[in-house]
Amino acid sequence: PPPSPPPLPPSPSPPAPLDCFTEGVRYEGTSNVTAQGRPCQAWTLPPLVGEDNRYYELYPWLVNASNFCRNPDGSAFPWCYTADPEVRWGRCQVEACPQPPPPSPPSPVLRPPPHPLWPPGPPRRPAAPSPPPSPPPPLPPPLPSPPPFLPPQPRQPPTPLLDCYFNETNGTDYRGQISTTVTGQSCLHWNKIPKSGVDYEYYNKYPWLVLRENLYYCRNPDGDIAPWCYTNSGSPRWEFCAIDVCPAPPPPPPPSPPL
């Protein structure tokens, strides 16, 4: 029988991913400790109010970043808020990736030396004279005179916001500022919802709830029968809000009879 073929060499294992950053804003690793050894706080944990709350408004994808180091604002390095109440934030323990080596210069083109017995070539022809430069293009026609100055027109007053919701949408598009339930309880800030249990799904399904425009106002993210909110007292856990239904628009006038 023919000899057995030699065994194939083992395939090299892929290199482990480096937990480093080439551009801090694109870092998506799992480092969650600052350079001083402080653990990072989850991006969804309160209190993110005041200046810090702008990260929810500008970068809502941070709610899915757990407590990993990120760089949403384009700083020079990844960072995080710390779990230490004495230190608000810190640079993360993530090193910059090493720079690749520069490319090698191109190899010079080697030409053989001229043979002593070869006759010299014919003399080179003189270069043709350069053509005269083209004349400059003509100037464009002058611009027309601007219109006469008109005094500014008075601004129309803004249309008042109807703090009501429409039955057709069950208030899913309600963006008013009512924050009281039907029993008179005040609404809980959407940023302070418990981050566990059944309530946590609202952070995954509706990340826009943490935007500054919502605060503690009544909303209807899940398509219920009317706008609602969590209560500050926690008993009951949530209630529908005291919002009136918008009045139906008047019906259009009947068409005119033909003449």
Side-chain angles (χ1 to χ4, degrees), residues 17 22 34 41 45 65 72 83 134 141 143-145 152 159 167 170 175 187 239-240 251:
T22 54
T34 68
Q41 174 182 284
L45 287 180
S134 302
L143 298 176
S145 302
T159 304
N167 263 334
N170 291 338
R175 295 298 181 269
C187 291
E239 278 190 325
F240 290 112

Side-chain angles (χ1 to χ4, degrees), residues 16-249:
L18 296 177
D19 199 0
C20 58
F21 70 93
T22 54
E23 297 179 14
V25 73
R26 295 185 179 179
Y27 175 74
E28 297 181 357
T30 58
S31 179
N32 57 2
V33 179
T34 68
Q36 290 77 25
R38 295 183 175 90
C40 293
Q41 174 182 284
W43 294 95
T44 56
L45 287 180
L48 290 182
V49 297
E51 179 186 357
D52 300 329
N53 194 38
R54 67 190 177 97
Y55 291 103
Y56 281 115
E57 184 175 352
L58 299 176
Y59 319 107
W61 53 266
L62 283 175
V63 298
N64 296 323
S66 186
N67 67 332
F68 301 140
C69 300
R70 292 293 181 264
N71 185 6
D73 54 353
S75 298
F77 45 78
W79 58 275
C80 70
Y81 290 103
T82 72
D84 187 347
E86 301 295 331
V87 180
R88 181 164 155 261
W89 70 277
R91 174 175 179 169
C92 284
Q93 194 174 7
V94 182
E95 300 296 335
C97 296
Q99 296 294 332
S104 302
S107 302
V109 178
L110 300 180
R111 298 182 180 274
H115 197 277
L117 300 181
W118 290 349
R124 299 185 60 184
R125 299 171 59 183
S130 301
S134 302
L139 296 177
L143 298 176
S145 302
F149 174 76
L150 298 178
Q153 301 296 323
R155 297 183 61 183
Q156 298 294 330
T159 304
L161 177 65
L162 294 178
D163 219 339
C164 57
Y165 72 94
F166 294 98
N167 263 334
E168 292 80 2
T169 61
N170 291 338
T172 54
D173 54 352
Y174 174 73
R175 295 298 181 269
Q177 297 182 354
I178 290 181
S179 59
T180 308
T181 68
V182 292
T183 61
Q185 298 201 52
S186 59
C187 291
L188 180 69
H189 200 295
W190 290 102
N191 280 349
K192 297 182 180 179
I193 299 175
K195 304 304 186 301
S196 62
V198 67
D199 302 324
Y200 188 67
E201 65 175 307
Y202 290 97
Y203 281 99
N204 295 328
K205 292 185 178 180
Y206 319 107
W208 54 268
L209 281 175
V210 298
L211 298 181
R212 183 179 299 176
E213 67 180 28
N214 296 316
L215 296 179
Y216 39 77
Y217 303 134
C218 301
R219 295 291 182 261
N220 187 6
D222 54 351
D224 213 323
I225 61 173
W228 57 275
C229 71
Y230 290 99
T231 63
N232 262 318
S233 65
S235 178
R237 190 164 54 94
W238 66 275
E239 278 190 325
F240 290 112
C241 291
I243 306 175
D244 295 329
V245 178
C246 295

